[in-house]
Amino acid sequence: MIQYKELKTMAEMEQMQELEGRVWGMATLPTHQTLTAVKNGGIIVGAYADSKLVGFSYGFAGFDNGKSYLCSHMLGIDSAYRSQGIGETLKQRQREIAIQKGYDMMKWTYDPLETRNAYLNLTKLNGICNTYIENCYGEMQDGFNKGLPSDRFEIHWHLKSPYVVEKQLVNPENPIALNTLTYNQAGLPAFHKGKQPPELTEYSYSINIPRDFQGLKAASQDLAMDWRLQTRELFQKLFKAGYAAVRLKALENYGKYIFVRKENLDLGGDQS
């Protein structure tokens, strides 16, 4: 039985710090910083199994264009407890607390080539993305990111919008594919760009990505870099044309991103 609660004490910050180190294997956030954050509008939710912290979601207060939002900076889960729905529950608990504190928007980033994160953020939570950040964190040295530009999608979670509250579906049957996967002699997925339309005017488009990007990167750094740069170009092209990523379909060997025009989403009047 997993139990969830908001973390507020120094002892709980230390538990989070220890788990953070195990999850990412890199320098951790100082406990004085995380404690100060939760005392000033930040939110940390912990997941416990038998009194042991096995997951957390950490966010701090953000501010942009005259509006506050919660910047959900970290979601970490012990490797032995992944794929059990803990990440989704942590985010939903964080959303509940954020609304109680007066937030109506939450933002965070993730690597767009990680299908597990994309499925959670878009398909399960009904977040959207129309913002691509090149090399967001510079050159990172942890196992997940080493060797590639740290490009990121910025998720916008419109906490009280009909799109999120009513779990509105945007799942067109026949999006226009902008790329496909081919396989090299080693059986690794390679990027193949399809014929590109002169203008993006269709209701929906799709972009395919490898199902296991970490496995691909371990097998071929060159192929992984090609995926990063080729998809970067297509993602940015769609966002510039007014489309947003709204779903990730998890198929057997690959993931399929779905994009529709942001103006077609019911975000409660908030198109920021």
Side-chain angles (χ1 to χ4, degrees):
M1 177 73 70
I2 304 296
Q3 296 181 320
Y4 299 86
K5 74 171 194 173
E6 187 176 1
L7 308 186
K8 298 180 178 180
T9 70
M10 179 58 79
E12 291 166 341
M13 300 303 107
E14 292 170 351
Q15 292 173 354
M16 172 188 149
Q17 186 183 58
E18 190 275 332
L19 177 56
E20 179 192 343
R22 287 193 285 113
V23 170
W24 283 285
M26 57 189 291
T28 59
L29 295 172
T31 54
H32 64 78
Q33 193 279 335
T34 51
L35 185 64
T36 301
V38 299
K39 289 181 177 181
N40 292 274
I43 300 170
I44 303 178
V45 181
Y48 286 84
D50 297 325
S51 300
K52 176 185 177 183
L53 185 69
V54 298
F56 71 89
S57 184
Y58 163 56
F60 52 83
F63 190 79
D64 185 39
N65 290 324
K67 291 189 64 176
S68 62
Y69 63 91
L70 187 71
C71 178
S72 187
H73 182 54
M74 283 182 156
L75 177 68
I77 301 172
D78 188 297
S79 59
Y81 291 86
R82 293 172 189 165
S83 300
Q84 298 182 29
I86 293 174
E88 181 180 6
T89 303
L90 282 168
K91 298 301 289 188
Q92 292 291 3
R93 295 294 177 88
Q94 194 177 35
R95 172 182 175 270
E96 293 169 4
I97 298 169
I99 291 174
Q100 291 171 7
K101 289 181 181 291
Y103 295 109
D104 58 18
M105 170 75 79
M106 195 182 300
K107 299 181 184 181
W108 65 91
T109 62
Y110 77 96
D111 187 331
L113 294 177
E114 295 290 348
T115 55
R116 182 194 299 267
N117 294 344
Y119 186 76
L120 170 62
N121 296 334
L122 301 176
T123 305
K124 293 187 124 181
L125 297 177
N126 270 43
I128 67 167
C129 175
N130 68 331
T131 303
Y132 192 95
I133 307 172
E134 292 187 22
N135 206 24
C136 180
Y137 301 111
E139 301 303 318
M140 303 178 73
Q141 299 302 315
D142 64 289
F144 287 106
N145 298 287
K146 187 176 182 179
L148 293 180
S150 56
D151 290 17
R152 293 293 186 266
F153 270 10
E154 182 180 86
I155 289 289
H156 290 191
W157 202 17
H158 297 261
L159 303 180
K160 297 189 286 187
S161 70
Y163 182 71
V164 171
V165 174
E166 299 170 14
K167 298 283 289 184
Q168 292 180 354
L169 295 177
V170 181
N171 202 18
E173 291 185 3
N174 297 301
I176 305 300
L178 297 179
N179 78 314
T180 58
L181 285 82
T182 59
Y183 292 87
N184 65 14
Q185 292 182 340
L188 297 173
F191 180 96
H192 178 73
K193 183 186 289 187
K195 183 178 180 180
Q196 300 298 300
E199 292 185 55
L200 297 171
T201 59
E202 297 293 335
Y203 178 77
S204 63
Y205 292 92
S206 67
I207 292 177
N208 299 318
I209 62 172
R211 181 70 181 262
D212 179 14
F213 186 63
Q214 289 299 321
L216 170 64
K217 188 171 74 168
S220 173
Q221 192 81 14
D222 288 341
L223 267 182
M225 180 65 80
D226 189 58
W227 274 103
R228 172 68 84 218
L229 299 179
Q230 297 272 19
T231 55
R232 173 194 284 179
E233 178 186 345
L234 292 183
F235 289 143
Q236 290 179 326
K237 183 178 180 180
L238 282 163
F239 294 158
K240 184 177 180 180
Y243 290 82
V246 294
R247 287 291 183 273
L248 189 285
K249 290 186 175 181
L251 303 171
E252 184 176 358
N253 295 315
Y254 64 98
K256 181 188 290 291
Y257 273 112
I258 306 298
F259 299 80
V260 301
R261 286 197 175 278
K262 185 181 177 185
E263 65 192 24
N264 293 333
L265 305 175
D266 191 350
L267 303 176
D270 182 4
Q271 292 291 320
S272 61

